[in-house]
Amino acid sequence: MTIKIRQATLNDISEVSRLFNEYRIFYGQHSDLEAATFFIKERMSKQESMIFVAECNEGREEGSVADTVMGLVQIYPSYSSVSMGPIWILNDLFVDSTYRQQGIARKLMQAVMKQAKKQQILRIVLSTAISNRQAQALYESEGYTQDQSFMYYECNVEREHES
């Protein structure tokens, strides 16, 4: 099986949204493919995120039938005020359960790093669930280190409802 990593385009909305919906389910959210599709389409249309996909042709001649999208990684561009430069937030990394344990997540992460170097990004930051030991092992094997200098906090914002 040949795995190809490439940046997703709006032509990939259907497959990317399917995987994004599965990713959200993995993190305890209810399935909502329609909302997932809207969210992904908005991010891509507004160029607010960059999504890389892993795909294979599963033995078919390239271009003969649509490739199978096996995984994705979504990056949000940001900036570091202290470093005065661009950073990326690796927010979503997901591989379809059918294709796990085949090095696909690693290939996605390596593609992100390669692109970050090309674009002179200062650093890539990410977070994962404390219980997600498998992801932690992957990140550490790819050179990511757990932050020992800063504590991270979050606060949910209650949205105002229109009358």
Side-chain angles (χ1 to χ4, degrees):
M1 171 171 58
T2 303
I3 299 167
K4 180 173 67 173
I5 308 294
R6 65 174 176 80
Q7 190 168 344
T9 68
L10 288 172
N11 292 333
D12 299 305
I13 290 293
S14 177
E15 281 295 291
V16 169
S17 299
R18 176 187 62 80
L19 282 176
F20 183 70
N21 189 54
E22 290 179 29
Y23 165 79
R24 294 183 68 254
I25 292 168
F26 178 83
Y27 276 103
Q29 301 300 307
H30 293 290
S31 178
D32 190 341
L33 185 56
E34 185 178 332
T37 302
F38 179 80
F39 182 85
I40 291 297
K41 190 172 184 178
E42 283 287 296
R43 301 295 72 73
M44 291 177 75
S45 296
K46 295 178 179 181
Q47 298 180 344
E48 295 173 341
S49 75
M50 183 180 339
I51 299 173
F52 291 90
V53 293
E55 62 185 8
C56 71
N57 197 277
E58 297 190 291
R60 298 183 298 266
E61 288 184 35
E62 190 159 338
S64 63
V65 181
D67 291 340
T68 301
V69 176
M70 305 176 298
L72 64 80
V73 61
Q74 183 165 211
I75 305 295
Y76 292 103
S78 188
Y79 293 90
S80 167
S81 298
V82 173
S83 300
M84 295 188 298
I87 64 171
W88 281 354
I89 302 166
L90 191 159
N91 207 73
D92 312 312
L93 175 64
F94 185 77
V95 175
D96 186 297
S97 60
T98 306
Y99 299 102
R100 292 190 185 144
Q101 301 299 312
Q102 297 181 40
I104 295 167
R106 182 176 307 280
K107 288 181 184 211
L108 283 163
M109 292 194 68
Q110 290 170 347
V112 167
M113 182 60 73
K114 183 178 179 181
Q115 189 65 29
K117 287 177 181 179
K118 280 183 186 176
Q119 294 188 23
Q120 299 183 332
I121 302 301
L122 297 176
R123 71 180 158 272
I124 301 168
V125 298
L126 59 83
S127 63
T128 190
I130 292 170
S131 62
N132 196 344
R133 302 271 186 227
Q134 193 170 8
Q136 293 167 29
L138 170 64
Y139 302 148
E140 290 170 11
S141 74
E142 286 297 316
Y144 289 75
T145 57
Q146 188 175 10
D147 191 299
Q148 301 295 315
S149 302
F150 294 93
M151 293 181 70
Y152 292 91
Y153 295 87
E154 66 180 42
C155 182
N156 291 330
V157 177
E158 284 189 41
R159 294 181 180 182
E160 291 184 15
H161 298 282
E162 293 183 25
S163 301

